[in-house]
Amino acid sequence: AAAETRAARADILAGAGQRLRDAGLIRAALADLDAAAARLDATYEPVAWSRVEGQRAGCKVILGELQGDLGLIADAVSALADALEGQPRDHSPLDWARSQTALALGLQSLGEAGVSEQAFEKAVTCFDRAALALKRAPGLALRAVVASNRAICLARCAELTGDLAVLDAAELAFKGELATGPHHRDPVAWALIQVHLGRVYETRLEITGRDNGERAAAAFAFDAALEVLSDEGLRSLADVAAQGLARMRALSVA
């Protein structure tokens, strides 16, 4: 019970630290998780132990992002991958899916930090594993995280490799989330998917050098996202959408 309480507090601290970009809060979360891990035995309490290990790795990834420390992110990904080796899927499918998602998010962060398509490809594989385990739980927020970030990784792979087939897969994934996912109940999540979809269209323009309607589609997606994000008061995210819209308008002038 003490370990679970510390893990719950760490989750709150880590969430606040990520939103506020406060490394001190992330370190406080890690201290709680270290104390929680010290009370657990992986042999007799594998599920609780794997939860804490997943949280620890996630916190280290966030801290690595805040500090620009690629080595810390890589160490966190390696530690979580090792922890997953001894975690059978059938023992607790939801916890296994959470761990796979944590590993995928770490790989995604590693890919962004190192601009590595291999990291993005591995992240997609982990997201696919998590999605398989979450297939019978469509209402979970975790499923939306998996679907959205999988599409983002596909889009980043396409950007780095120039592979239009991968870009097509990312576009289909985003459109699928817009049509059937739980995002339609969350305007901010919906707007973020529109931003990602706009970026997919923009990337296709950059790769092919031809406009087959992508510029207008990207402008529409960025504009829709900008309206929602501005209404929600999310200035930094609204700026991202506004910059995308400005790029598309500049292309039309050119």
Side-chain angles (χ1 to χ4, degrees), residues 139-163:
L140 286 181
L142 183 62
R143 187 178 180 277
V145 171
V146 168
S148 295
N149 283 280
R150 177 184 181 275
I152 293 169
C153 287
L154 284 172
R156 291 292 285 123
C157 281
E159 286 183 56
L160 294 171
T161 63
D163 190 335

Side-chain angles (χ1 to χ4, degrees), residues 67-241:
Q67 297 178 341
D69 188 339
L70 184 59
L72 183 58
I73 298 174
D75 289 344
V77 168
S78 179
L80 188 51
D82 289 342
L84 271 167
E85 289 293 327
Q87 184 182 358
R89 172 185 164 187
D90 294 337
H91 192 88
S92 177
L94 184 55
D95 282 293
W96 186 83
R98 285 176 177 147
S99 295
Q100 288 289 343
T101 303
L103 179 56
L105 291 172
L107 286 164
Q108 183 178 350
S109 180
L110 197 61
E112 294 289 359
V115 193
S116 166
E117 64 268 22
Q118 289 85 4
F120 288 119
E121 289 168 359
K122 291 178 181 177
V124 169
T125 299
C126 292
F127 282 131
D128 284 340
R129 291 171 183 162
L132 187 62
L134 295 169
K135 196 171 183 180
R136 296 184 180 180
L140 286 181
L142 183 62
R143 187 178 180 277
V145 171
V146 168
S148 295
N149 283 280
R150 177 184 181 275
I152 293 169
C153 287
L154 284 172
R156 291 292 285 123
C157 281
E159 286 183 56
L160 294 171
T161 63
D163 190 335
L164 292 176
V166 175
L167 202 61
D168 290 340
E171 180 183 353
L172 286 173
F174 283 133
K175 286 182 174 179
E177 278 301 295
L178 287 172
T180 62
H183 293 295
H184 69 275
R185 297 189 298 270
D186 183 345
V188 174
W190 179 88
L192 289 176
I193 295 175
Q194 291 286 2
V195 170
H196 297 318
L197 188 57
R199 183 57 189 152
V200 166
Y201 293 131
E202 186 177 3
T203 300
R204 185 177 286 115
L205 270 174
E206 293 169 355
I207 292 173
T208 65
R210 298 188 304 273
D211 182 8
N212 294 315
E214 287 86 359
R215 187 197 61 78
F220 179 84
F222 286 133
D223 190 39
L226 177 60
E227 183 178 355
V228 172
L229 295 171
S230 297
D231 289 345
E232 295 291 329
L234 299 172
R235 184 175 299 175
S236 60
L237 292 175
D239 285 345
V240 173

Side-chain angles (χ1 to χ4, degrees), residues 47-72:
V47 174
W49 178 82
S50 67
R51 287 174 184 164
V52 170
E53 285 301 298
Q55 284 182 266
R56 288 171 79 185
C59 284
K60 288 177 181 178
V61 168
I62 296 169
L63 189 59
E65 290 175 345
L66 292 178
Q67 297 178 341
D69 188 339
L70 184 59
L72 183 58

